[in-house]
Amino acid sequence: MRFDQTTHVPNQSLPYPSRCLVSLNMANVTVLHHIEGLDGKNVVLLFGKTRAGKSTFVNDAYGKKVVKTTMRLTSDTNEISYVNEPISVGDLEVYLVDTVGLGGSGKDHDRASFAWRWLRILHPGKNRKSQLVPTVKGILYFIDIMDGATNEDNIRNLETFKALVGEEVLESVVFVTTKWVTSAEPNTQRRLENIFVGWEEKIRQDFPKASILRLDDTTGRLDEEDLSKLSRLERTKREREYHDNAMRVLGLLLTKTATQPILAQKEMYAGGKRMKAGQTTLGQTTIRHLSIDIERARDITIIQQLRRTIEAIKNSVMMKVFFPKGTRRNGETISHK
């Protein structure tokens, strides 16, 4: 099954064998402090606003609620985390990495914080390798279909996302629209279709090699409360459908795995330990957004905070910010020589 610009997830047998990890009742979730923690692994990154469906997708893919709401890998996560146990997709053992929500997700989920976290994770540190090998094999960007493509929050989120991943990996990027309702009234259904068309046009313009698809559009999606009202048999049937849908998405995504590292990782690697956040495309994009906010702001306290953030991004050497002198990493003391 090949990628099209618009891909519907069909209701058919799985293109790849799946493995329900029924043993993961108490899933072991790890905060990703540095990309080295996933060296040699096949990684799929999940992006999107809070409650766009990232963590739900993780649970669907494992065929089990492997992540509880009290754990870090949730829709309200403040960390970038992954489930230690991989999931089988075809011949690949894949690690799903859930990220903090992008801007518009809540007061603690701003784009500047998002950028800092990723630059910290991608910085090569002292143990800079002679050759940069891509770890990220595919990227999913989740979109609540009720959320319009052309509002400023979403435009900024897409600009931030592109500044992070770059253009060379776009064939391995899939935008996943979620929360489709099959029982919607005709007017509501037409509205959802119009929103989808808006997203198609935006993605075709800004991410020409990426794909967009609909998740659960043929089965619909019930929330946890409605699922709990079903009989055990019907609920099991629904959960299996959601699992199959998630595995189809992963199967489609991994038909063409990324052969290049994402842009921010390449830039941090090339810049070395003296690299400043403001020298990266992601840092520059964040500064541009903050500068617009300063022009609009009227509160002097907010203006001062925004200016301090810009100065930090421009002038902070990433090695010193995230790996202070004298700290130990991978058994070695960092000296910043």
Side-chain angles (χ1 to χ4, degrees):
M1 185 178 300
R2 72 182 183 85
F3 279 153
D4 295 320
Q5 179 62 36
T6 304
T7 307
H8 296 257
V9 181
N11 187 13
Q12 62 183 46
S13 58
L14 290 174
Y16 291 92
S18 66
R19 180 180 69 186
C20 288
L21 300 178
V22 294
S23 63
L24 288 180
N25 289 326
M26 299 179 66
N28 199 359
V29 178
T30 298
V31 175
L32 180 60
H33 294 292
H34 195 269
I35 196 66
E36 288 179 358
L38 291 171
D39 271 358
K41 296 179 172 61
N42 301 306
V43 174
V44 171
L45 303 180
L46 280 61
F47 293 98
K49 285 185 179 179
T50 296
R51 288 175 290 278
K54 302 186 300 297
S55 297
T56 298
F57 182 87
V58 172
N59 288 332
D60 288 347
Y62 280 91
K64 191 87 172 174
K65 190 173 182 180
V66 299
V67 182
K68 298 179 181 179
T69 57
T70 55
M71 299 179 73
R72 292 185 181 273
L73 192 64
T74 71
S75 61
D76 291 321
T77 184
N78 287 316
E79 301 288 352
I80 297 168
S81 312
Y82 65 96
V83 181
N84 289 338
E85 185 72 22
I87 189 167
S88 296
V89 183
D91 296 330
L92 296 178
E93 294 288 294
V94 177
Y95 290 79
L96 302 182
V97 178
D98 195 8
T99 65
V100 293
L102 276 161
S105 304
K107 64 180 181 179
D108 297 324
H109 295 162
D110 60 277
R111 281 170 288 269
S113 175
F114 173 92
W116 277 106
R117 283 184 169 96
W118 273 108
L119 291 176
R120 176 194 66 195
I121 286 171
L122 297 173
H123 194 283
K126 182 181 178 181
N127 301 321
R128 186 174 181 272
K129 298 180 179 179
S130 59
Q131 183 177 2
L132 185 58
V133 179
T135 300
V136 177
K137 302 301 182 183
I139 303 165
L140 297 174
Y141 188 109
F142 289 82
I143 300 165
D144 183 341
I145 192 55
M146 299 297 289
D147 196 4
T150 56
N151 68 57
E152 186 176 16
D153 248 337
N154 284 332
I155 290 173
R156 286 193 182 190
N157 286 344
L158 291 174
E159 289 174 348
T160 300
F161 174 67
K162 191 169 185 178
L164 172 67
V165 303
E167 296 189 357
E168 293 185 349
V169 299
L170 290 185
E171 288 186 345
S172 302
V173 173
V174 175
F175 291 85
V176 183
T177 56
T178 63
K179 302 187 180 180
W180 288 89
V181 182
T182 56
S183 59
E185 295 293 326
N187 287 340
T188 301
Q189 195 64 40
R190 281 193 293 271
R191 178 169 173 262
L192 296 181
E193 290 294 338
N194 288 335
I195 294 173
F196 184 78
V197 169
W199 276 106
E200 275 189 305
E201 292 174 351
K202 183 65 176 172
I203 290 166
R204 187 179 298 116
Q205 175 184 346
D206 295 347
F207 302 86
K209 295 181 181 180
S211 302
I212 181 171
L213 56 77
R214 309 172 187 222
L215 178 65
D216 301 326
D217 65 322
T218 58
T219 61
R221 181 85 203 192
L222 297 179
D223 59 27
E224 190 64 30
E225 182 179 353
D226 289 335
L227 274 175
S228 67
K229 297 175 183 177
L230 300 178
S231 67
R232 183 175 180 180
L233 182 62
E234 183 61 25
R235 179 179 178 126
T236 300
K237 177 183 176 182
R238 282 275 187 170
E239 289 174 341
R240 179 64 193 184
E241 289 175 343
Y242 300 155
H243 169 71
D244 289 352
N245 290 346
M247 293 305 296
R248 290 188 191 102
V249 170
L250 289 172
L252 285 166
L253 174 69
L254 296 172
T255 56
K256 193 156 191 178
T257 57
T259 58
Q260 296 287 328
I262 60 177
L263 177 61
Q265 186 176 11
K266 292 177 72 173
E267 291 177 337
M268 297 298 287
Y269 179 85
K273 63 184 180 181
R274 301 300 303 173
M275 187 71 170
K276 295 180 180 179
Q279 295 174 301
T280 66
T281 303
L282 180 57
Q284 292 163 6
T285 300
T286 304
I287 289 171
R288 178 168 57 82
H289 291 162
L290 294 173
S291 298
I292 294 172
D293 292 338
I294 287 175
E295 292 177 3
R296 295 174 178 175
R298 295 293 179 265
D299 187 315
I300 188 62
T301 303
I302 293 176
I303 292 173
Q304 290 172 343
Q305 289 175 341
L306 293 172
R307 284 176 176 167
R308 284 195 296 269
T309 302
I310 288 176
E311 287 306 307
I313 295 172
K314 283 183 177 179
N315 300 318
S316 296
V317 176
M318 300 303 297
M319 181 77 164
K320 292 184 179 179
V321 169
F322 296 114
F323 308 108
K325 184 176 180 180
T327 59
R328 295 179 65 82
R329 185 159 161 266
N330 296 336
E332 296 185 30
T333 299
I334 295 176
S335 61
H336 300 310
K337 293 180 179 179

